[in-house]
Amino acid sequence: MIQGRANYFNNWFKKATGRKLFPYQRALAQGGRLPELLEVPTGTGKTAAAILGWLWRRRCHHQGETVCNATPRRLVYCLPMRVLVEQTRACAVRWLNNLNLLAGTAIFKGNRLKSYEVDWKQQNKIAVVTLMGGEA
């Protein structure tokens, strides 16, 4: 890998999350084939690896259109508990907002997502849509 591209990804990831990345996160985003299973310890950024890895492969990868076209247009994240859904949604909204890729307007109070309104008219931006069971 060319050093400049690695640094660009490192800076892009840090801009999104405010954190340094783990090597497996870069490998997931910039590697060839996606793994069938991602097994890493709790607290080592699996959510960021999945969401930002998908985003990088879909929007920012510098190895031509092969990776972009092989990366699904939508990322569907299925979680077993409402609190995890809300946490993951807040992370995705914050990261997209930090990268100026969020379709819509987000308001944060400290680290908490206070509100998010999708603007479907914003082209080349990414909307975060949440579906939870038990809601009308």
Side-chain angles (χ1 to χ4, degrees):
M1 177 185 313
I2 298 171
Q3 187 62 31
R5 287 186 186 159
N7 287 336
Y8 181 73
F9 180 74
N10 293 352
N11 294 336
W12 182 87
F13 188 93
K14 185 161 182 139
K15 181 179 180 183
T17 66
R19 300 176 182 267
K20 289 184 177 182
L21 57 81
F22 290 98
Y24 88 89
Q25 293 168 317
R26 182 184 311 111
L28 186 70
Q30 296 182 322
R33 189 169 173 227
L34 290 171
E36 291 183 22
L37 176 67
L38 183 58
E39 188 175 0
V40 294
T42 299
T44 56
K46 290 181 290 290
T47 302
I51 293 173
L52 294 173
W54 165 80
L55 179 60
W56 180 265
R57 295 173 74 85
R58 182 71 195 162
R59 292 301 235 19
C60 305
H61 206 284
H62 295 287
Q63 293 182 345
E65 294 191 21
T66 304
V67 172
C68 179
N69 290 339
T71 303
R73 183 175 173 187
R74 291 180 175 87
L75 175 65
V76 177
Y77 217 100
C78 300
L79 298 163
M81 296 183 298
R82 286 179 173 277
V83 69
L84 292 177
V85 171
E86 291 164 358
Q87 287 173 356
T88 302
R89 174 182 184 255
C91 287
V93 168
R94 177 177 296 284
W95 298 333
L96 289 167
N97 190 60
N98 289 349
L99 294 168
N100 196 31
L101 292 172
L102 183 66
T105 304
I107 298 172
F108 296 92
K109 186 174 183 181
N111 284 335
R112 298 184 65 99
L113 176 63
K114 194 167 182 179
S115 68
Y116 168 57
E117 294 291 327
V118 177
D119 180 353
W120 295 105
K121 296 176 184 172
Q122 290 183 305
Q123 294 186 357
N124 297 317
K125 301 283 183 161
I126 300 168
V128 177
V129 179
T130 307
L131 300 174
M132 282 199 260
E135 290 189 355

